[in-house]
Amino acid sequence: MLLTNATIATLRTDDTFGLIEAGAVVLDGDRISWVGAERDLPDSYASLPVRNLDGRLVTPALIDCHTHVVFGGNRAAEFEQRLNGASYAEVAKAGGGIVSTVKATRAADPETLLADALTRVDALIAEGVTVIEVKSGYGLDQDTELKMLRVARQISAKRPVDIRTSFLGAHAVPPEFIGDPDAYIDTVCIPTLRAAHAEGLVDAVDGFCEGIAFDTAQIARIFDVARELGLPVKLHAEQLSHMGGAQLAARYGALSADHVEYTTETDAKFMAKAGTVAVLLPGAFYTLRETQSPPVEAFRTHRVPMALATDCNPGSSPLASLLLAMNMGCTLFRLTPLEALLGVTAHAANALGMTDRGRIAPGAQADLCVWDVQHPAELAYRIGFNPLHARIFRGQL
Ligand code: DI6
Ligand code: FE
């Protein structure tokens, strides 16, 4: 297929949108084989079936690199509690929070979990998303963690989207292990990771390094097992306090450190050296009314790639719009529209270790969005507005 008469934001480098006016893209099966100005199109492509885009904007398709879209129930009641003055950590300590979703997820059958997840997945796809990372972590026992990961894998059989799974057994201490997180890690979390890996259900290993979850020593034990299994790691780090998670992640060569509001400039240097992406999650920052912003300027100075994601989950970020996450990234964290677009394309791909996505270049997977806008800055600018004209996944419209 040959796309013509397009304005193309190639994102070829991190410094500009890489705009091509009156551009053309050649798709060969599921790959991009050529991109450039139409007048430079080699004659050999001229006979392909053409789709004239009438000047519309083409970008790489969007990638949501941090979600928890598989879960049971919802937490509207906790939303009310927080509006009445309880903090996120207080709700968690009182047995609500993540643990209440754990109860609902354990009780749910896989069909219901899948059907509920698909409503959120469909909202993301409708905005041009072609890759979704999905975490476990609402089971916290072997059966339910495996159930969640199997449901996550099934999503790509039901919808035209690529799924990347992360094992998040170290998300919270389950009720049956309160007061003994180490026993949970040794007797449940690590054996479950091994079982999930043996079943081919794990693309990466994640954890929640926080006062209300696990400390760096506990996370390190899980990361050691990930390393032994040859799995990449990522980490929920420095969301509510500074625990040392970002440096721990960097020490393990993590794909990403996520949230990172309390990350320091020193942490940023370690992340830069390790190639660890900073995944910013403005939906959680907004929902929890946090006031400490991630150190965007330090990430820029030390060239830490910044990604943006929804963190779609029932507690801290009930958000299924990556376009809104882009807008929030700009308004709340002062990202530029270019940084926001890189954050949901090229840098999101880096955060998942996917080297063939996120930029428009020969050899990349043919995942593209066609937008009814004139300039890429418009994607982050409007609120509650979806200008997607078409989504191309693996070369298919
Ligand atoms: N940080 C988050 O933002 C989500 N998990 C995490 O470790 C929140 C999960 C929840 O509140 O259900
Ligand atoms: Fe999260």
Side-chain angles (χ1 to χ4, degrees), residues 78-94:
E78 172 186 324
F79 178 56
E80 281 193 281
Q81 283 170 15
R82 278 190 279 108
L83 287 169
N84 284 320
S87 74
Y88 181 68
E90 281 162 4
V91 170
K93 279 193 198 114

Side-chain angles (χ1 to χ4, degrees), residues 66 68 75 78 88 97-98 101 138 168 171 207-208 236 239 259 281 284 288 311 313-317:
H66 180 141
H68 310 245
R75 305 240 290 277
E78 172 186 324
Y88 181 68
I98 293 174
T101 299
Y138 288 124
L168 181 56
H171 193 196
F208 188 18
H236 289 67
Q239 178 187 4
H259 290 284
L281 304 168
L288 301 181
D311 195 16
N313 77 66
S316 66
S317 190

Side-chain angles (χ1 to χ4, degrees), residues 208-261:
F208 188 18
C209 188
E210 192 54 66
I212 54 170
F214 298 96
D215 63 26
T216 50
Q218 290 158 344
I219 297 290
R221 297 213 317 272
I222 296 162
F223 280 4
D224 285 335
V225 177
R227 186 176 272 175
E228 175 204 319
L229 299 175
L231 292 169
V233 301
K234 41 181 52 246
L235 190 62
H236 289 67
E238 336 291 15
Q239 178 187 4
L240 307 168
S241 62
H242 189 273
M243 296 271 297
Q247 283 194 39
L248 175 81
R251 247 202 331 279
Y252 281 82
L255 292 172
S256 67
D258 301 42
H259 290 284
V260 295
E261 277 87 341

Side-chain angles (χ1 to χ4, degrees), residues 35-394:
V35 58
E38 224 174 298
R39 60 171 186 280
D40 299 330
L41 185 75
D43 290 342
S44 51
Y45 295 127
S47 58
L48 289 172
V50 177
R51 221 186 154 90
N52 184 324
L53 298 182
D54 296 320
R56 289 190 181 88
L57 176 73
V58 176
T59 67
L62 308 192
I63 297 172
D64 195 350
C65 68
H66 180 141
T67 87
H68 310 245
V69 292
V70 175
F71 60 81
N74 74 71
R75 305 240 290 277
E78 172 186 324
F79 178 56
E80 281 193 281
Q81 283 170 15
R82 278 190 279 108
L83 287 169
N84 284 320
S87 74
Y88 181 68
E90 281 162 4
V91 170
K93 279 193 198 114
I98 293 174
V99 167
S100 73
T101 299
V102 169
K103 282 190 199 114
T105 305
R106 286 178 179 177
D109 57 68
E111 294 72 29
T112 306
L113 283 179
L114 179 60
D116 285 358
L118 289 177
T119 64
R120 303 181 267 273
V121 165
D122 286 341
L124 294 171
I125 287 175
E127 289 186 346
V129 170
T130 54
V131 180
I132 304 173
E133 185 259 13
V134 182
K135 301 177 194 297
S136 70
Y138 288 124
L140 311 184
D141 64 29
Q142 178 149 329
D143 286 352
T144 315
E145 288 291 305
L146 295 176
K147 177 173 75 178
M148 285 186 74
L149 292 167
R150 291 182 196 124
V151 166
R153 284 275 196 251
Q154 276 180 300
I155 292 170
S156 55
K158 299 282 180 192
R159 294 294 186 271
V161 69
D162 280 328
I163 298 294
R164 279 290 185 273
T165 53
S166 299
F167 175 76
L168 181 56
H171 193 196
V173 181
E176 53 286 9
F177 284 91
I178 292 294
D180 201 356
D182 290 299
Y184 168 69
I185 289 186
D186 293 331
T187 64
V188 178
C189 190
I190 289 174
T192 301
L193 168 56
R194 292 186 187 282
H197 172 68
E199 209 181 303
L201 293 172
V202 184
D203 297 317
V205 175
D206 199 346
F208 188 18
C209 188
E210 192 54 66
I212 54 170
F214 298 96
D215 63 26
T216 50
Q218 290 158 344
I219 297 290
R221 297 213 317 272
I222 296 162
F223 280 4
D224 285 335
V225 177
R227 186 176 272 175
E228 175 204 319
L229 299 175
L231 292 169
V233 301
K234 41 181 52 246
L235 190 62
H236 289 67
E238 336 291 15
Q239 178 187 4
L240 307 168
S241 62
H242 189 273
M243 296 271 297
Q247 283 194 39
L248 175 81
R251 247 202 331 279
Y252 281 82
L255 292 172
S256 67
D258 301 42
H259 290 284
V260 295
E261 277 87 341
Y262 286 81
T263 300
T264 64
E265 175 145 23
T266 309
D267 298 333
K269 287 184 198 164
F270 279 96
M271 289 169 65
K273 229 195 228 137
T276 299
V277 176
V279 178
L280 310 185
L281 304 168
F285 177 92
Y286 164 85
T287 299
L288 301 181
R289 304 183 78 229
E290 294 295 323
T291 51
Q292 168 103 7
S293 289
V296 164
E297 203 47 55
F299 292 144
R300 285 183 185 130
T301 305
H302 300 288
R303 299 197 78 83
V304 176
M306 290 179 278
L308 275 170
T310 61
D311 195 16
C312 181
N313 77 66
S316 66
S317 190
L319 169 67
S321 168
L322 201 49
L323 288 173
L324 183 51
M326 291 169 73
N327 175 269
M328 288 177 166
C330 294
T331 301
L332 298 174
F333 298 158
R334 312 314 284 165
L335 296 189
T336 66
L338 170 60
E339 286 169 333
L341 184 58
L342 286 164
V344 296
T345 54
H347 295 168
N350 294 348
L352 297 177
M354 298 176 111
T355 52
D356 67 341
R357 316 283 163 99
R359 302 188 198 262
I360 301 181
Q365 182 160 305
D367 290 1
L368 301 169
C369 286
V370 183
W371 306 96
D372 273 317
V373 303
Q374 293 184 329
H375 189 274
E378 291 177 57
L379 296 176
Y381 150 67
R382 293 190 186 84
I383 300 171
F385 178 77
N386 180 3
L388 187 73
H389 174 76
R391 191 191 74 129
I392 297 169
F393 174 62
R394 296 190 188 164

